[in-house]
Amino acid sequence: MHHIDVRLEKDVYDVNNGIADENARHLKAHGIRAFDLLGAIGSGKTALIERLVPLLKAKGLRAGAIAGDVYGDDDFQRIVAQGIPAYNTNTGKECHLDAHLVEHAIEHLPLDTIDILFIENVGNMVCPTDFRLGAEKRIVIVSSTEGDDVVNKHPMMFRDCTIGVINKVDLAPFVGANLARMESDIHRYNPTMPVFLTNMKTGENVAPLLEAILA
């Protein structure tokens, strides 16, 4: 028989959520709007940031980012190449960012030079779900190359996020992915979630996605 300490799990989430609330207050005090980007490895989180930065600049908004990865700085290097302030957070063995890691990252950012902060979570469709970070909205990104059953396999991710993105729509015919099924599955788990079908290579539908993020 397995013994599960439910109280301990609740304590962990309560502590995390308390720090997340403080992160949100801290960022708001500096006039910063923060957005959490979630999705599997290769779904297009970093590519989305690369697409959004110049669109934000055209609006007179200054972007910043926190890059979360288990190891390495590949995504971080792509982000700083956009000319924005960023901080690289390696989790080691953990498959998600938590509010404390984000709190630490925020300390290393020039907050008075940032209007919009993207928090790119570790590439995972399960672990980040339960850990709020202090972001205003959570955007979940999946790609056609993950298979059109990816949404149905990760319902909690879509129930807990604000905006859905189906990326790499151009590759759907080559991998046999049914985009309509993916969108239908998202709305089955979150009927009111706006969904955007994107191609980060061309920038297709990224501008209306940004409007939804900023709304």
Side-chain angles (χ1 to χ4, degrees), residues 12-26 98-104 106 132-134:
V12 170
Y13 292 146
D14 285 348
V15 170
N16 181 84
N17 290 340
I19 299 173
D21 289 340
E22 183 55 37
N23 288 344
R25 285 191 290 267
H26 189 107
D98 60 35
H100 178 67
L101 287 171
V102 170
E103 177 186 39
H104 177 69
I106 289 171
R132 290 175 43 226
L133 306 178

Side-chain angles (χ1 to χ4, degrees), residues 69-71 90-96 122 124 127:
D69 266 311
V70 173
Y71 179 79
N90 286 147
T91 63
K93 296 184 293 183
E94 299 300 325
C95 55
H96 61 86
V122 176
N124 192 288
C127 301

Side-chain angles (χ1 to χ4, degrees), residues 9 12-14 16-17 38 96-98 126-133 138 156-157 160:
E9 182 177 287
V12 170
Y13 292 146
D14 285 348
N16 181 84
N17 290 340
L38 304 98
H96 61 86
L97 292 176
D98 60 35
V126 179
C127 301
T129 306
D130 295 323
F131 290 86
R132 290 175 43 226
L133 306 178
R138 308 184 92 188
M156 292 309 298
M157 178 65 76
D160 291 342

